[in-house]
């Protein structure tokens, strides 16, 4: 088909696409142009085209400042925890649920664990604050094991990383488990019967049939997670951290936020930090996507 | 796509899915749990007991925070503060539930919570409607495969890969004059590439022959879009609508940067953040308004219950979406 015929025939299509296109251009692509602020000493009064260009000064300032490097370390630590403990939790939940012979109980567990997915981040963190303060339920429970009664969120230590990961599990494990449960139900039942004939016990069946059966799904989910690991759970950190715990709670996104909207209003610095993060995020997405394509022949793009 | 279809069938059959309460539930549950243990070796039975134990604890961990909030909201302020740990039942001097917390919440800050509830609903509806328009039109154009479809798809998908980030996006919205107006919380977040692709996937499942035959009958683009494709791709379109609605209902961050000074525009979640934050300082003032302390619990419940109540209706749809969103070939 020639271009002329295409426009004649599909002109209406192109015309109505202007609606979604303008949305994407204005809210997604124009901000990308705004990333140029990362190379400027940006002043709101002068705008993007009037501000002074400073080359890589903002990036130099980032890498020589202690705060940024702390944020990088904390981001990596939390990402690692989310990719390990946070990733395994829904798999374990899915495996446990599928071991149940009682369909009713299985559905009850699924519904109840799925529920926190609907609870907002604000509520989730408010509950965390309530349960972790010095008279909170979790603090009380932990004091039985000899831990000091304290506000755990004010505790400036790697504890914060674990609290963040646990909150992520509380909110998302039931939701993430669905895909594994569906995968386990998709495994050919004859495999189990054959294994029973060969005298395999439940543990061996679980190991060699169930887990082997969902390995492709596990690999796929893992590679997808790699791409998203730097963005998930940011607003929870923003809701729970406090100046006295920045050393262990500040992450890249909160640092970016504070530089931009905090008292310093260093838009250039904030944008530089955001740009670095976008670039790393894109790289991770592409890597994860490639790995997924290689391992399971399935991918996002 | 095959795996998705299989998984969807499982959901429809009810293997994966919602728990329905019936009058036979208790007896049935006992019987079916008992069947788990029948004919098992002692080790197997031990494993089962452990398994049930772990899952019951997991369920308690999922439920207790909300239960505690419910009971705290029905308590009496001064006693609740003195009470340590979980409120298993309302904490009141007379052993009856108190509703002062809710009364206080209702009139709080010149009915701010009530007004915020209404405006949050407005944001939800706005996001869903505008998101639907953008997603459906975008998906339809790409579905019809004009010559530039590949390019259009790339423009959409690239936004999943790379973004301008917080400050540049804020600047754009500010320059558009949207900050300080409800529009900043309706338009910018209403659509994303993932949702558009989800609608597109829905369209792709509709047999091509139905579209072709209706075109032979003289149906135009809008007839095909609204009368043929959308009704048949209802499931996935609804998934994007539900997700947009939940995102809008639970959002607070955008409001905190776009309308920080305009309290009358604050969505309910931002009020929760504010009120919970205030609670820490409430206790240090000279004359403590104990009921003021309860508002945090009440407003959490008021904001969360509608979503939880809607859950049984949306759960099946969302699970399908979760599978389709994750498994795409």
């Amino acid at each position: 088909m020639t271009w002329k015929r295409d426009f004649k025939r599909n002109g209406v299509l192109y015309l109505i696409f202007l609606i979604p296109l303008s949305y994407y251009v204005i809210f997604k692509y124009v901000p990308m142009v705004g990333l140029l602020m990362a190379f400027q000493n940006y002043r709101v009064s002068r705008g993007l085209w009037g501000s002074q260009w400073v080359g890589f000064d903002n990036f130099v300032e980032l890498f020589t400042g202690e705060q940024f490097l702390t944020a990088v370390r904390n981001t990596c630590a939390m990402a690692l925890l989310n990719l390990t403990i946070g990733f395994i939790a829904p798999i374990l939940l899915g495996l446990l649920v599928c071991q149940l012979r009682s369909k009713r109980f299985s559905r009850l567990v699924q519904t109840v664990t799925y529920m926190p997915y609907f609870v907002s981040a604000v509520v989730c963190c408010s509950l965390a604050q309530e349960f972790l303060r010095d008279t909170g339920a979790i603090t009380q429970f932990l004091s039985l094991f000899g831990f000091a009664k304290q506000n755990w969120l004010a505790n400036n230590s790697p504890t914060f990383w674990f609290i963040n990961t646990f909150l992520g599990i509380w909110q998302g494990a039931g939701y993430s488990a669905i895909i594994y449960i569906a995968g386990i139900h998709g495994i050919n039942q004859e495999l189990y019967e054959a294994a029973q004939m060969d005298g395999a016990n439940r543990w061996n069946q679980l190991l060699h049939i169930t887990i082997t059966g969902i390995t492709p799904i596990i690999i796929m989910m893992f590679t997808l997670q790699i791409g998203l690991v730097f963005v998930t759970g940011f607003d929870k950190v923003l809701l729970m951290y406090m100046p006295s715990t920045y050393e262990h709670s500040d992450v890249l996104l909160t640092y970016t936020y504070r530089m931009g909207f905090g008292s310093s209003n260093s838009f250039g610095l904030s944008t530089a930090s955001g740009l670095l993060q976008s670039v790393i995020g894109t790289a991770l997405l592409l890597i994860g996507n490639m790995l997924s394509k290689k391992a399971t022949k399935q991918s996002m793009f | 796509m095959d795996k998705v279809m299989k998984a969807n069938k499982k959901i429809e059959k009810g293997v994966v899915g919602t728990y329905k309460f019936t009058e036979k539930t208790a007896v049935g549950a006992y019987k079916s749990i008992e069947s788990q243990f029948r004919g098992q070796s002692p080790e197997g039975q031990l494993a089962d007991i452990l398994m049930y134990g772990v899952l019951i604890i997991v369920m308690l961990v999922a439920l207790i925070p909300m239960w505690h909030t419910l009971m705290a909201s029905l308590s009496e302020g001064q006693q609740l503060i003195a009470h340590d740990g979980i409120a298993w039942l309302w904490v009141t001097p007379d052993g009856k539930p108190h509703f002062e917390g809710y009364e206080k919440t209702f009139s709080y800050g010149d009915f701010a919570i009530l007004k915020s509830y209404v405006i949050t609903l407005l944001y939800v509806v706005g996001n869903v409607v505008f998101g639907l328009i953008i997603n459906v039109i975008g998906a339809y154009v790409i579905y019809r495969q004009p010559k530039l479809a590949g390019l259009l798809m790339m423009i959409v998908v690239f936004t999943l890969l790379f973004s301008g980030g917080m400050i540049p996006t804020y600047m754009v919205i500010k320059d558009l004059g949207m900050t300080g107006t409800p529009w900043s919380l309706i338009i910018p977040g209403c659509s994303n590439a993932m949702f558009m692709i989800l609608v597109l996937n829905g369209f792709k499942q509709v047999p091509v022959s139905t579209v072709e035959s209706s075109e032979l009958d003289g149906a135009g683009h809008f007839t095909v879009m609204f009368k043929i494709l959308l009704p048949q791709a209802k499931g996935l379109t609804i998934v994007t609508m539900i997700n947009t609605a939940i995102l809008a209902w639970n959002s607070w961050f955008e409001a905190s940067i776009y309308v920080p000074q305009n309290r009358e525009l604050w969505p309910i979640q931002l009020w929760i953040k504010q009120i919970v934050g205030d609670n820490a300082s409430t206790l240090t003032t000279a004359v403590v308004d104990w009921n003021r302390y309860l508002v945090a619990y009440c407003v959490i419940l008021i904001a969360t219950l509608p979503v939880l109540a809607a859950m049984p209706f949306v759960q099946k749809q969302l699970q399908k979406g979760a599978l389709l969103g994750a498994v795409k070939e």
Side-chain angles (χ1 to χ4, degrees), chain A residues 24-240:
Chain A
Y24 277 94
V25 168
I26 294 170
F27 295 109
K28 313 277 176 182
Y29 284 92
V30 176
M32 289 185 205
V33 179
L35 281 172
L36 289 173
M37 280 195 271
F39 306 95
Q40 287 183 330
N41 181 8
Y42 185 84
R43 290 277 168 273
V44 179
S45 52
R46 294 175 167 208
L48 188 60
W49 308 116
S51 290
Q52 184 197 357
W53 295 90
V54 293
F56 285 91
D57 279 12
N58 287 323
F59 293 91
V60 172
E61 198 180 333
L62 279 184
F63 283 104
T64 49
E66 205 178 306
Q67 283 191 40
F68 180 74
L69 297 176
T70 309
V72 171
R73 183 200 61 178
N74 291 335
T75 308
C76 291
M78 288 187 212
L80 209 65
L81 282 179
N82 285 340
L83 270 183
T84 49
I85 309 175
F87 182 74
I88 292 167
I91 302 177
L92 287 180
L93 180 62
L95 288 173
L96 273 177
V97 165
C98 288
Q99 288 293 306
L100 297 168
R101 284 194 211 163
S102 158
K103 289 283 163 286
R104 281 160 202 271
F105 192 72
S106 153
R107 272 183 232 164
L108 178 69
V109 175
Q110 284 182 61
T111 304
V112 170
T113 54
Y114 188 56
M115 215 145 63
Y117 177 72
F118 291 87
V119 174
S120 73
V122 171
V123 170
C124 190
C125 293
S126 304
L127 293 173
Q129 280 160 4
E130 166 89 3
F131 277 71
L132 289 165
R133 67 191 157 94
D134 51 358
T135 56
I138 296 177
T139 312
Q140 301 258 324
F141 180 73
L142 288 174
S143 72
L144 297 178
F145 301 94
F147 291 97
K149 284 195 181 181
Q150 55 180 307
N151 180 357
W152 285 95
L153 282 169
N155 185 335
N156 184 17
S157 75
T159 320
F160 190 91
W161 305 340
F162 289 92
I163 293 173
N164 181 57
T165 304
F166 181 78
L167 262 184
I169 294 173
W170 185 78
Q171 222 186 354
Y175 178 76
S176 309
I178 297 166
I179 186 128
Y180 299 113
I181 295 170
I184 294 168
H185 282 296
I187 296 172
N188 190 346
Q189 288 303 308
E190 287 167 17
L191 288 176
Y192 290 101
E193 284 154 25
Q196 275 166 7
M197 302 270 258
D198 292 342
N201 62 22
R202 273 167 76 195
W203 176 248
N204 282 329
Q205 289 177 33
L206 178 75
L207 217 57
H208 296 293
I209 301 174
T210 314
I211 296 185
T212 315
I214 58 166
T215 302
I217 301 180
I218 294 177
I219 294 173
M220 189 188 67
M221 293 306 281
F222 189 75
T223 49
L224 290 181
Q225 281 296 309
I226 290 177
L228 299 173
V229 75
F230 268 28
V231 278
T232 42
F234 146 71
D235 53 347
K236 288 211 268 305
V237 176
L238 189 57
L239 286 162
M240 289 191 302

Side-chain angles (χ1 to χ4, degrees), chain B:
Chain B
M1 242 36 211
D2 214 33
K3 269 187 199 154
V4 179
M5 295 296 176
K6 262 190 210 153
N8 274 346
K9 270 192 198 122
K10 295 282 173 199
I11 290 172
E12 256 136 38
K13 269 191 229 153
V15 183
V16 184
T18 331
Y19 182 82
K20 287 201 184 67
F21 290 95
T22 63
E23 66 282 2
K24 290 177 193 157
T25 302
V27 184
Y30 173 73
K31 273 190 187 156
S32 57
I33 290 169
E34 196 208 354
S35 77
Q36 175 111 22
F37 294 91
R38 213 180 296 132
Q40 292 258 6
S41 62
E43 302 93 67
Q45 286 187 353
L46 186 70
D48 279 338
I49 292 171
L50 270 174
M51 209 167 67
Y52 274 90
V54 168
L55 285 175
I56 287 170
I57 291 172
V58 167
M59 284 198 287
L60 285 177
V61 171
L63 285 175
I64 285 175
M66 286 318 286
W67 179 258
H68 168 79
T69 313
L70 174 66
M71 288 307 145
S73 76
L74 296 169
S75 297
E76 196 273 323
Q78 192 168 1
Q79 284 222 342
L80 182 71
I81 291 162
H83 180 90
D84 282 358
I86 301 166
W88 295 106
L89 200 65
W90 43 78
V91 186
T92 50
D94 53 3
K96 286 186 197 131
H98 280 224
F99 296 93
E100 286 95 345
Y102 286 96
E103 281 164 26
K104 186 85 187 169
T105 309
F106 183 70
S107 58
Y108 178 85
D110 199 16
F111 303 101
I113 304 293
L114 212 63
K115 287 175 188 162
S116 163
Y117 213 78
V118 174
I119 200 142
T120 310
L121 278 175
L122 182 82
Y123 295 150
V124 169
V125 172
N127 273 279
V128 169
V129 169
F130 284 100
L132 193 65
I133 293 171
I134 291 170
N135 294 335
V136 168
I137 292 179
Y140 178 75
V141 172
I142 293 170
Y143 170 82
R144 294 314 302 257
Q145 289 293 319
K147 230 176 168 178
L148 285 174
L151 176 73
L152 302 183
M153 187 69 179
M154 255 175 62
I155 292 175
V156 172
V157 170
F158 185 74
T159 60
L160 281 179
L161 266 175
F162 193 73
S163 84
M166 209 182 287
I167 300 292
T169 309
Y170 170 80
M171 290 296 174
V172 170
I173 288 162
K174 188 167 153 268
D175 287 346
L176 287 170
M178 279 182 165
T179 44
T181 72
W183 294 110
S184 62
L185 303 177
I186 293 176
I187 305 289
C190 73
S191 166
N192 69 52
M194 215 61 204
F195 292 168
M196 189 185 283
I197 293 170
L198 221 52
V199 177
L200 179 63
N201 283 345
F203 286 174
K204 281 182 178 165
Q205 284 170 21
V206 178
V208 183
S209 54
T210 35
V211 177
E212 279 171 356
S213 66
S214 68
E215 279 204 311
L216 285 177
D217 294 341
H221 286 306
F222 287 93
T223 319
V224 174
M225 197 183 333
F226 290 112
K227 294 244 167 87
I228 313 288
L229 287 172
L230 266 185
Q232 293 199 50
K234 208 167 45 189
L236 281 178
T237 312
I238 291 175
V239 168
T240 64
M241 290 166 71
I242 296 171
N243 272 314
T244 311
I246 294 177
L247 279 178
W249 183 264
N250 286 344
S251 115
W252 65 277
F253 178 70
E254 288 74 11
S256 78
I257 58 176
Y258 298 144
V259 294
Q261 313 300 336
N262 316 64
R263 292 198 165 207
E264 73 283 359
L265 295 179
W266 279 12
I268 194 88
Q269 303 291 342
L270 194 55
W271 273 111
I272 298 179
K273 178 182 184 290
Q274 179 73 29
I275 290 167
V276 170
D278 283 351
N279 259 8
S281 52
T282 309
L283 300 181
T284 55
T285 49
V287 187
V288 180
D289 179 356
W290 300 110
N291 291 331
R292 167 66 188 75
Y293 187 75
L294 297 173
V295 173
Y297 301 99
C298 299
V299 74
I300 285 179
L301 267 173
I302 295 170
T304 311
L305 277 185
V307 190
L308 290 184
M311 201 183 94
F313 303 104
V314 302
Q315 192 180 9
K316 259 187 194 175
Q317 300 285 349
L318 275 188
Q319 284 174 340
K320 279 189 207 171
L323 297 174
L324 273 166
V327 188
K328 192 186 144 282
E329 276 158 58

